[in-house]
Amino acid sequence: MLSLVLSPSYSYSDPYTYGATGNAASASLGWSMDSILPSIAGVDINGLMYRYTTVKDPDADMKVHVGNKNASGKGYIFRETDDWSGVAGNTIVKSFPVPNIPALNWGRGSIEVEGTGEVKDAIVIYNYRVDKCFDPQSDPSCAGYRKPVPPVIEYEIYNALEDNAVVDNIDVKAEADYDEDETKLDEDDEEEEETRIELGLAQAENALTLSLEQGQSQIISAMNSSTNIDIYYNSRINGGIYKDTVTLNGGNLPDNKKGLRNNLAQQLLHNQLVDLQYD
């Protein structure tokens, strides 16, 4: 039996895994269960074995108490007393089945001596069981396992009109002046812009005035020309009619080719002047 308890951890079929601790009393006659049991959920204690040797006088009174405090209340969750009074020292081995008591209920363990004597070569070993389905969600093969539902991610919708920094910037921009390229104008640029507008209006007004004055001058000049021509139309030449004295040989006056080229060149210049005015 002792060799079985001291053997390495062993396991059976699912959902349970079985094992044994090391010697809880290897360092001292008092120990913490957290230091010898697996630090996982679902661990139960299902057995306990201890062995020790007493050194004492046969006539001396001596008792040895092996036990564990009750972590969930008062007293002990396990306690065994061996009475060595009136007997010589010897070695004792005992084992106890435990009905799968959760490891969380097992408090600090100890071997206590009452009377005269000494305990040597103490060994205390616990058998335990691990329920891998203690939390059904730890393994999909466990009964009661539910497929996890992905968490719903909430996204915050950003509204720029609720951002004070954006609203303040919009108000500042609305109050500022900008040129045609959406570039902010400072005070000097604004004054320069106003000056350009005033000069442009003045030039337009001067151009209109010159145009009106030029039109009036042309009308007056045309009236004078008409008046001067009428003088010649109304005049009479003494003697009646001047007869032509020039005769053409053959009766045909050919066109002047040089004059044609000159007229063509003048026409081209005229067209260029007209195009420049429209441009």
Side-chain angles (χ1 to χ4, degrees):
M1 180 187 67
L2 180 61
S3 63
L4 177 62
V5 173
L6 295 177
S7 64
S9 299
Y10 53 91
S11 63
Y12 295 96
S13 59
D14 290 341
Y16 299 112
T17 301
Y18 297 86
T21 68
N23 181 12
S26 60
S28 67
L29 298 181
W31 58 89
S32 171
M33 298 299 287
D34 293 337
S35 63
I36 60 174
L37 290 173
S39 56
I40 56 177
V43 178
D44 300 330
I45 303 297
N46 61 2
L48 181 150
M49 183 282 300
Y50 67 78
R51 186 186 78 171
Y52 64 88
T53 300
T54 60
V55 179
K56 65 178 290 289
D57 186 278
D59 296 329
D61 292 332
M62 178 182 177
K63 291 182 179 181
V64 177
H65 307 285
V66 181
N68 284 86
K69 296 277 189 181
N70 184 1
S72 301
K74 298 180 180 181
Y76 292 85
I77 196 168
F78 170 84
R79 188 172 174 85
E80 177 71 8
T81 300
D82 300 320
D83 190 355
W84 293 86
S85 301
V87 298
N90 203 343
T91 299
I92 189 171
V93 177
K94 286 186 175 182
S95 64
F96 305 88
V98 176
N100 296 315
I101 300 176
L104 294 177
N105 296 338
W106 291 73
R108 184 172 178 81
S110 64
I111 297 177
E112 300 174 352
V113 177
E114 179 183 346
T116 303
E118 181 184 358
V119 171
K120 296 178 62 176
D121 301 328
I123 296 175
V124 179
I125 295 176
Y126 298 86
N127 294 330
Y128 62 84
R129 180 186 74 172
V130 178
D131 182 4
K132 75 172 185 178
C133 293
F134 178 78
D135 178 8
Q137 293 303 112
S138 63
D139 194 318
S141 64
C142 294
Y145 174 82
R146 294 183 179 181
K147 187 175 181 180
V149 178
V152 178
I153 301 176
E154 296 182 0
Y155 294 94
E156 181 179 357
I157 300 176
Y158 174 74
N159 187 351
L161 297 179
E162 295 179 355
D163 190 332
N164 293 332
V166 175
V167 174
D168 294 342
N169 188 47
I170 293 175
D171 294 339
V172 171
K173 184 174 181 180
E175 295 174 358
D177 293 329
Y178 294 83
D179 61 12
E180 58 185 5
D181 297 326
E182 293 296 327
T183 302
K184 185 178 180 180
L185 300 175
D186 53 22
E187 294 181 357
D188 295 337
D189 293 336
E190 293 177 4
E191 294 178 357
E192 183 179 354
E193 183 70 17
E194 293 177 357
T195 303
R196 288 202 301 266
I197 294 174
E198 292 176 355
L199 291 176
L201 292 175
Q203 292 175 357
E205 184 177 357
N206 293 336
L208 180 60
T209 302
L210 292 174
S211 175
L212 293 175
E213 292 179 353
Q214 184 177 5
Q216 293 176 356
S217 299
Q218 291 176 349
I219 294 173
I220 295 173
S221 177
M223 292 175 63
N224 292 335
S225 299
S226 177
T227 302
N228 293 336
I229 292 174
D230 291 339
I231 295 174
Y232 294 99
Y233 285 154
N234 296 328
S235 298
R236 293 183 177 276
I237 300 174
N238 295 329
I241 298 173
Y242 289 100
K243 296 181 179 180
D244 292 334
T245 59
V246 179
T247 57
L248 298 177
N249 294 328
N252 184 21
L253 182 63
D255 294 332
N256 186 351
K257 295 182 178 180
K258 293 182 178 181
L260 179 61
R261 286 199 301 270
N262 187 30
N263 290 336
L264 181 60
Q266 290 181 352
Q267 182 63 32
L268 291 175
L269 289 175
H270 174 74
N271 293 338
Q272 291 179 358
L273 289 174
V274 173
D275 292 340
L276 287 174
Q277 289 177 354
Y278 282 104
D279 291 339

